[in-house]
Amino acid sequence: MLETDYKFGEVHALANQIETGADHVHVKNIFSTPHGGVALVAFKAGQKLDTHTAPAEVMVNVVEGEIRFTMIDRPHTMKAGDFLLMGHDVPHSVEALTDAKLMLVKIKA
């Protein structure tokens, strides 16, 4: 079952769908299904997500700003327009070097 607050066929500016907040990292689902989905994540500079895993294959796409994405203890500095692919259950963490917004595409096998 598809879950979304958006209507198919409507055009939206991606970065405008989520705002950063000083209190915590913000996450907004664009859509989800039992097989994955798309989410936006917004960080203020200096905010972090500690090491964790995801139960899906993930494409991490930087929409705005710059982050340090550490995967299996290997840091990657990423900026707007960059993306990487990550397998399921891979340990990773994220630190915002500037205010930043990410789009995550998640696919469950």
Side-chain angles (χ1 to χ4, degrees):
M1 171 181 226
L2 177 77
E3 294 181 29
T4 186
D5 292 332
Y6 295 88
K7 292 182 182 178
F8 282 73
E10 291 183 350
V11 176
H12 303 275
L14 188 61
N16 293 342
Q17 301 307 304
I18 190 168
E19 294 299 322
T20 58
D23 53 338
H24 64 279
V25 175
H26 289 226
V27 178
K28 180 177 183 180
N29 284 317
I30 299 297
F31 76 85
S32 62
T33 74
H35 304 289
V38 173
L40 297 176
V41 184
F43 298 82
K44 288 296 271 180
Q47 288 179 331
K48 299 178 185 181
L49 290 177
D50 291 330
T51 301
H52 62 284
T53 61
E57 274 70 38
V58 179
M59 177 180 163
V60 178
N61 182 357
V62 181
V63 176
E64 287 184 353
E66 189 172 351
I67 64 167
R68 179 174 300 112
F69 190 94
T70 302
M71 182 170 58
I72 315 174
D73 297 324
R74 183 175 173 209
H76 303 275
T77 299
M78 299 173 65
K79 62 185 181 319
D82 293 344
F83 78 92
L84 65 72
L85 301 176
M86 179 182 67
H88 69 88
D89 294 330
V90 173
H92 63 282
S93 63
V94 183
E95 178 182 2
L97 302 176
T98 67
D99 289 0
K101 295 178 182 179
L102 313 178
M103 179 178 66
L104 306 178
V105 179
K106 304 169 280 184
I107 299 174
K108 297 179 183 178

